[in-house]
Amino acid sequence: METVEMNSVSLKRPHSEDDLDEIKRRKISENSKTGTGQSIETGTEQSDKSLLEDTKNEVIPNEEGEEQEDEELEDSDEDGDSESFADMMKHGLTESDVGITKFVSSHKGFSGILKERYSDFVVHEIGKDGRVSHLDDFSVPVDDEVNCEDPSEETFTVLSDDDKQRLEELQLLKNKETSVAIEVIEDTKEKRTVIHQAVKSLFPGLETKTEDRDGKKYIIAYHAAGKKALANPRKHSWPKSRGSYCHFVLYKENKDTMDAINVLSKFLRVKPNIFSYMGTKDKRAITVQEIAVLRITAQRLAHLNKCLMNFKLGNFSYKNHPLKLGELQGNHFTVVLRNITGTDDQIEQAMHSLREIGFINYYGMQRFGTTAVPTYQIGRAILQNNWNEVMDLILKPRPGAEKGYLVKCREEWAKTRDPAAALKKLPVKRCVEGQLLRGLLKYGMKNIISAFGIIPRNNRLMYIHSYQSYVWNNMVSKRIEEYGLRAVPGDLTLKGATAVHIEEGDVDNYTIHDVVMPLPGFDVIYPKHKIGEAYKEMLVADNLDINNMRHKIRDYSLSGAYRKIIIRPQNVNWEVVAYDDPKIPLFTTDLDKLEGKPLPVLPTDGKFRALKMEFSLPPSTYATMAIREVLKMDTSIKNQTQLNTTWLR
């Protein structure tokens, strides 16, 4: 992917931070046996439900036959020093490049550091019933049904690492072996039963039998139903009285939701698509959200707490339904802005304005990428049906901060236009560039549409949704500039699920918080004032017809939607605290509470000040845009790296 994660969005005067020390300090599991170091970019808090209807529960699985080392390479490939990174980011995007230009509050801005530590940004999911998800219980539910006990703890330890490796290769059909033989060292019926249970529980799709060979007992594992069994967890061992889905709360630190699910699926040896969730959560944060998984026991999930870093699983329950994207009511944020410079009066004005007026509901910077080729440009080329430009924009060299292997791949592509040669420069094949190159190898340079189709569908749709977001940001800035913070005749408001125009005689019945603006697409209406014309002008300039957003390829037909232009956060609270040590946590997390860790003791006259704030936001809104309104600072990586590079050194 064409993205780079910023280790902190530091606003003017940051402290330096030793991230390695942070990682060591925040290991979740005291007795961790293994862990992962994958790194992917910070994600959005949640995409529009309307934009996600076509990508329900889709998770990008690991490519078949691809080795785990790819994920490690994504983290380990560090190129250049901090100065070169800051220099490269001069080519990145600023807020004004994507239409983010206005503020709604009147206070004077001040500086602070957002996400100096990932533990300074905590997200709790709010379910559709209004309940905030918390990790506060590690217990495993007990079934009422008799004789349906879960496997014993010994099930997870009876197989050696070598046995597990051989069984996994057999399960995934990675070699030509048709079976794996495991010698029973302690030949008792009880021991054989545990081995049978372990193989069947840990490796869905495998069956077992006992054989005598040369006077010794062996458990023979073999495939029951080929590849199909992998996608369908065994049904005969699941109690009828138990719901088919195990729901649990996932507490994760410094991990993206999809990355976390890929890790869980790897350790459970199942396909990622048996997991479902209501929304994706930030990487550089501590997040708490509900996950559902098909026919995996709570006991088996709880066992992962002993062998994974950066995750904790708890609050288990069995239900008859999965989760769906967009079902959540929102997210509750607990955020610390460190080393703030604002006066008490400025802070009070800023937070009162956030609570009473709110902030412009812009799409945040992570929606658009970080290099000189924004994702919305690729989306525009897709909508224009200009496939040569799509290919060129994705693969051509560009200035900006990127992994070294991507730079070499792009250089090779520019020099040879040979997909095979360019692909050889990529140790990581799951990135968009690698997937497109594989598609070009398979379908040829004259069939770019099919080659592009190899990229997972939700990634492809990300580009056109980015273009929608780009148009919306620009139009809402024009709307605020033209009409200010009041409803005017010709604006749009929602009545149920239907958008209607505000008429002259009814305008006094509405406030700015009732006004919505359309995301361009088919079956939407536009404001009956200057902004409606501005939409048309913008799309005409991009060679698109606002009245015909249906694409000849159905996937790329833009369905429109409506989005509130001002969001007023709920449950807004704040306090200013003093501190001396930049590494000390300023509040306790769910895990801290479970482990009985006391509240941090803070000095009354510390040399630094921090603003602790809490607020709840609905889906499809960006906490970074709320914080931007408080600080009145550009949140783009380009701006922050030019303001200061000390945090990168």
Side-chain angles (χ1 to χ4, degrees):
M1 290 292 293
E2 313 149 317
T3 51
V4 171
E5 183 206 271
M6 185 174 75
N7 284 338
S8 63
V9 178
S10 46
L11 301 170
K12 275 202 172 177
R13 294 176 55 202
H15 306 297
S16 59
E17 176 192 21
D18 187 344
D19 269 339
L20 291 176
D21 180 69
E22 168 72 349
I23 292 168
K24 292 174 183 176
R25 186 188 70 80
R26 297 298 301 175
K27 283 184 181 178
I28 296 178
S29 177
E30 293 298 326
N31 58 346
S32 296
K33 296 180 182 178
T34 181
T36 57
Q38 298 96 320
S39 175
I40 56 181
E41 69 279 3
T42 301
T44 61
E45 281 81 1
Q46 169 70 18
S47 297
D48 276 305
K49 182 179 180 181
S50 60
L51 299 184
L52 286 167
E53 286 177 350
D54 289 336
T55 57
K56 291 176 182 175
N57 301 331
E58 204 168 333
V59 178
I60 305 173
N62 291 339
E63 294 292 330
E64 187 176 339
E66 190 146 353
E67 297 300 323
Q68 186 68 20
E69 283 76 16
D70 272 7
E71 295 172 1
E72 295 166 5
L73 279 165
E74 291 186 43
D75 244 10
S76 62
D77 192 307
E78 297 295 338
D79 294 277
D81 55 21
S82 60
E83 288 82 6
S84 66
F85 177 84
D87 186 61
M88 286 189 292
M89 285 314 303
K90 293 176 183 176
H91 304 285
L93 297 173
T94 63
E95 288 184 347
S96 61
D97 292 328
V98 294
I100 302 172
T101 59
K102 303 297 180 184
F103 296 96
V104 297
S105 52
S106 59
H107 72 276
K108 183 179 178 182
F110 53 93
S111 68
I113 310 173
L114 170 62
K115 293 190 181 183
E116 183 180 32
R117 310 178 70 73
Y118 66 74
S119 54
D120 287 345
F121 197 91
V122 178
V123 187
H124 287 87
E125 192 170 69
I126 306 173
K128 57 184 177 181
D129 58 358
R131 182 180 56 84
V132 179
S133 292
H134 283 281
L135 180 77
D136 52 22
D137 184 6
F138 285 140
S139 64
V140 173
V142 178
D143 284 311
D144 295 330
E145 191 166 324
V146 181
N147 297 325
C148 285
E149 295 181 1
D150 286 328
S152 66
E153 183 67 23
E154 190 180 0
T155 297
F156 300 99
T157 58
V158 68
L159 297 173
S160 69
D161 290 341
D162 180 61
D163 289 337
K164 290 178 182 177
Q165 178 68 31
R166 293 163 60 217
L167 288 165
E168 182 174 2
E169 290 175 356
L170 175 67
Q171 181 202 36
L172 298 178
L173 304 172
K174 284 188 173 182
N175 54 35
K176 295 181 180 179
E177 286 187 71
T178 57
S179 65
V180 166
I182 301 168
E183 184 180 354
V184 183
I185 305 300
E186 303 171 27
D187 184 18
T188 64
K189 183 177 180 180
E190 292 76 15
K191 192 70 172 182
R192 293 197 302 270
T193 298
V194 170
I195 296 175
H196 283 294
Q197 286 181 338
V199 173
K200 292 178 181 180
S201 297
L202 300 179
F203 300 92
L206 297 184
E207 291 292 350
T208 58
K209 59 184 179 181
T210 304
E211 285 188 3
D212 284 308
R213 294 183 180 180
D214 300 324
K216 297 179 180 178
K217 282 276 195 309
Y218 289 87
I219 304 296
I220 309 300
Y222 60 95
H223 260 289
K227 288 185 177 180
K228 289 184 179 179
L230 285 175
N232 299 299
R234 60 184 65 252
K235 296 180 180 179
H236 63 267
S237 61
W238 196 264
K240 292 180 180 179
S241 64
R242 177 193 287 172
S244 293
Y245 294 87
C246 185
H247 287 231
F248 62 94
V249 169
L250 172 65
Y251 171 105
K252 62 182 181 63
E253 296 191 356
N254 209 25
K255 289 287 178 186
D256 174 88
T257 299
M258 292 174 70
D259 183 30
I261 284 176
N262 278 328
V263 171
L264 294 178
S265 64
K266 173 182 178 290
F267 277 83
L268 292 168
R269 298 178 174 85
V270 296
K271 292 290 187 180
N273 59 10
I274 71 170
F275 290 85
S276 58
Y277 50 92
M278 294 184 288
T280 58
K281 299 291 179 284
D282 275 11
K283 175 188 186 292
R284 190 170 172 79
I286 293 174
T287 70
V288 183
Q289 68 183 119
E290 189 173 351
I291 305 286
V293 61
L294 176 64
R295 294 181 181 271
I296 298 291
T297 65
Q299 184 188 39
R300 194 168 163 200
L301 292 166
H303 181 73
L304 296 180
N305 286 332
K306 298 182 179 181
C307 56
L308 288 178
M309 291 192 301
N310 301 94
F311 304 115
K312 281 292 183 182
L313 286 62
N315 296 79
F316 302 102
S317 63
Y318 293 108
K319 299 181 182 179
N320 290 317
H321 59 85
L323 296 169
K324 293 181 180 179
L325 280 168
E327 278 188 329
L328 74 171
Q329 195 177 107
N331 295 291
H332 185 74
F333 297 87
T334 305
V335 178
V336 170
L337 300 177
R338 291 182 183 257
N339 198 21
I340 55 171
T341 62
T343 65
D344 289 344
D345 187 54
Q346 286 173 332
I347 293 166
E348 287 295 306
Q349 286 183 44
M351 295 306 299
H352 275 287
S353 177
L354 183 66
R355 183 168 62 189
E356 302 302 323
I357 300 175
F359 62 97
I360 303 172
N361 193 19
Y362 287 122
Y363 286 97
M365 293 302 297
Q366 58 265 56
R367 192 84 166 184
F368 305 103
T370 57
T371 70
V373 180
T375 51
Y376 74 80
Q377 289 185 4
I378 300 169
R380 179 169 55 201
I382 293 170
L383 295 171
Q384 292 169 340
N385 210 32
N386 188 344
W387 292 99
N388 281 308
E389 184 174 355
V390 171
M391 177 179 68
D392 193 42
L393 287 171
I394 292 175
L395 295 177
K396 72 178 182 181
R398 79 277 303 272
E402 284 201 303
K403 299 285 187 183
Y405 54 76
L406 268 178
V407 173
K408 293 171 185 174
C409 170
R410 297 189 193 287
E411 289 172 349
E412 183 66 33
W413 173 257
K415 182 172 65 177
T416 66
R417 304 286 283 186
D418 180 352
L423 197 58
K424 286 181 181 177
K425 301 292 184 180
L426 280 181
V428 178
K429 305 296 193 293
R430 287 194 305 277
C431 59
V432 167
E433 294 80 3
Q435 290 161 333
L436 177 57
L437 288 168
R438 276 207 302 260
L440 292 170
L441 270 176
K442 182 175 182 178
Y443 295 105
M445 297 284 285
K446 293 184 178 180
N447 195 352
I448 301 171
I449 295 176
S450 296
F452 183 72
I454 279 188
I455 298 170
R457 189 165 177 264
N458 50 348
N459 280 37
R460 287 181 276 127
L461 296 184
M462 172 196 71
Y463 291 120
I464 59 175
H465 295 162
S466 177
Y467 178 74
Q468 276 186 312
S469 305
Y470 170 71
V471 173
W472 196 90
N473 279 0
N474 279 277
M475 291 299 100
V476 80
S477 291
K478 285 184 180 292
R479 165 61 182 77
I480 297 293
E481 181 178 1
E482 189 70 32
Y483 300 112
L485 297 180
R486 59 190 178 91
V488 298
D491 272 337
L492 292 166
T493 189
L494 290 178
K495 290 191 175 178
T498 305
V500 297
H501 290 101
I502 298 175
E503 302 295 336
E504 181 80 42
D506 290 333
V507 71
D508 291 339
N509 296 325
Y510 298 96
T511 70
I512 192 65
H513 298 101
D514 300 312
V515 177
V516 298
M517 296 266 285
L519 288 151
F522 58 83
D523 297 334
V524 298
I525 60 174
Y526 294 86
K528 287 183 177 177
H529 48 51
K530 292 180 181 179
I531 307 306
E533 292 302 313
Y535 269 98
K536 295 176 184 177
E537 292 169 6
M538 187 171 184
L539 267 70
V540 166
D542 287 342
N543 296 315
L544 296 170
D545 182 357
I546 200 169
N547 297 312
N548 183 19
M549 300 301 289
R550 294 188 184 273
H551 199 281
K552 68 177 185 179
I553 300 172
R554 185 178 176 184
D555 268 1
Y556 311 133
S557 290
L558 270 188
S559 58
Y562 299 95
R563 179 178 176 87
K564 286 195 171 186
I565 68 173
I566 301 292
I567 291 293
R568 187 162 44 191
Q570 301 298 305
N571 308 311
V572 179
N573 292 289
W574 69 92
E575 67 172 317
V576 177
V577 297
Y579 66 101
D580 287 319
D581 184 355
K583 295 182 179 179
I584 191 171
L586 299 183
F587 54 83
T588 53
T589 66
D590 285 1
L591 187 60
D592 292 335
K593 293 171 185 175
L594 271 171
E595 294 179 345
K597 291 183 180 178
L599 285 166
V601 178
L602 301 175
T604 56
D605 57 349
K607 55 184 176 181
F608 305 118
R609 295 161 71 234
L611 172 59
K612 291 170 58 178
M613 62 172 79
E614 288 191 60
F615 52 87
S616 299
L617 295 177
S620 181
T621 54
Y622 288 69
T624 50
M625 294 294 100
I627 295 163
R628 167 188 181 268
E629 187 68 44
V630 170
L631 295 169
K632 292 199 168 176
M633 297 290 292
D634 186 326
T635 61
S636 68
I637 301 178
K638 176 178 179 177
N639 185 61
Q640 302 314 319
T641 53
Q642 304 316 312
L643 282 174
N644 54 93
T645 57
T646 56
W647 64 271
L648 291 165
R649 291 176 182 150

